[in-house]
Amino acid sequence: MRYEGNIFRPPSEAYSLIVQVTIGCTHNTCTFCSMFKDKEFRVRDVREVLEDLDMARTYYKHVEKIFLADGDALCLSNNKLMVILEHIRKVFPECKRVGAYGTPQDVLVKTPDELVQLRENGLGIIYIGAESGSQKVLDAVNKGVTREQIIEAVKKIQKAGIKASVTFISGLAGPDDMEEHALETASMISEME
């Protein structure tokens, strides 16, 4: 397996095989996040990703979950993602779920049919960092999306039958705006259903 830089994954991917399909994050300007600041974003060559999957098969006898890293693997076109997902099904037939980070922008660019296609080929969970339900806080941390876009993206994921795992950061607003942050985040969660 070939990895570049530090690798980050959601806690629920602790026992997953992690494969980098992108390096870094397409947005990479959120003020609170230092995960990918040392990396310049790029998409890995799909042939390298397939080689990594083949290499992993020689080391691991049983892989139930695979996580496609780095910051937002969902930015890949469906054509590229389908090649990777099909190879996972071929090489790891026991794999029960593939997960990936995705920005709301990535999700909103995909058509409903594209998301269903990804689900039907193994993508079972998309992790989205919402961070806050407050537009004031989202603007302050340079999230690059609106509250409404985040809600729309999560609903779109769920409608496609994919599990959405949404992260909020308590305390992100600081003491001056903590009440707005808390109330608007609770409201956002309710709207996401």
Side-chain angles (χ1 to χ4, degrees):
M1 299 295 300
R2 295 166 283 196
Y3 295 109
E4 287 189 36
N6 293 320
I7 305 297
F8 297 92
R9 50 108 183 124
S12 62
E13 299 291 345
Y15 298 104
S16 300
L17 169 64
I18 300 173
V19 179
Q20 278 181 308
V21 299
T22 64
I23 306 299
C25 173
T26 54
H27 184 62
N28 210 21
T29 60
C30 295
T31 60
F32 60 88
C33 180
S34 62
M35 289 171 37
F36 305 109
K37 295 293 188 219
D38 62 335
K39 298 177 182 181
E40 186 172 329
F41 178 79
R42 73 177 197 285
V43 173
R44 286 188 69 208
D45 185 303
V46 172
R47 290 172 299 194
E48 287 183 10
V49 174
L50 302 183
E51 288 171 5
D52 281 355
L53 289 165
D54 291 338
M55 194 182 319
R57 176 81 283 178
T58 65
Y59 291 105
Y60 303 107
K61 292 182 181 180
H62 189 79
V63 174
E64 291 192 4
K65 294 191 306 182
I66 295 176
F67 180 69
L68 303 178
D70 261 345
D72 52 350
L74 205 63
C75 75
L76 270 64
S77 69
N78 258 43
N79 289 339
K80 288 181 180 179
L81 284 169
M82 287 303 300
V83 169
I84 294 166
L85 291 171
E86 287 171 3
H87 198 71
I88 288 171
R89 284 192 358 215
K90 176 183 161 192
V91 177
F92 295 97
E94 75 278 11
C95 182
K96 294 178 181 174
R97 184 187 83 192
V98 177
Y101 283 127
T103 66
Q105 299 95 313
D106 297 332
V107 174
L108 295 176
V109 167
K110 302 268 185 216
T111 67
D113 288 343
E114 286 177 321
L115 289 171
V116 169
Q117 180 186 39
L118 295 175
R119 177 189 44 82
E120 289 174 346
N121 286 278
L123 186 66
I125 188 167
I126 298 172
Y127 299 90
I128 287 192
E131 325 320 347
S132 177
S134 163
Q135 189 62 54
K136 180 179 180 181
V137 175
L138 293 172
D139 291 342
V141 300
N142 198 27
K143 186 67 182 164
V145 291
T146 65
R147 167 192 167 90
E148 290 74 23
Q149 288 172 312
I150 296 168
I151 294 167
E152 182 184 353
V154 169
K155 286 184 173 184
K156 191 173 183 179
I157 292 167
Q158 293 170 329
K159 189 170 182 180
I162 300 171
K163 183 177 179 181
S165 177
V166 186
T167 302
F168 296 95
I169 302 174
S170 60
L172 183 63
D176 293 341
D177 294 314
M178 71 177 174
E179 187 172 343
E180 177 181 337
H181 172 59
L183 292 173
E184 291 294 308
T185 298
S187 168
M188 177 185 265
I189 292 168
S190 294
E191 286 185 54
M192 287 176 180
E193 301 175 1

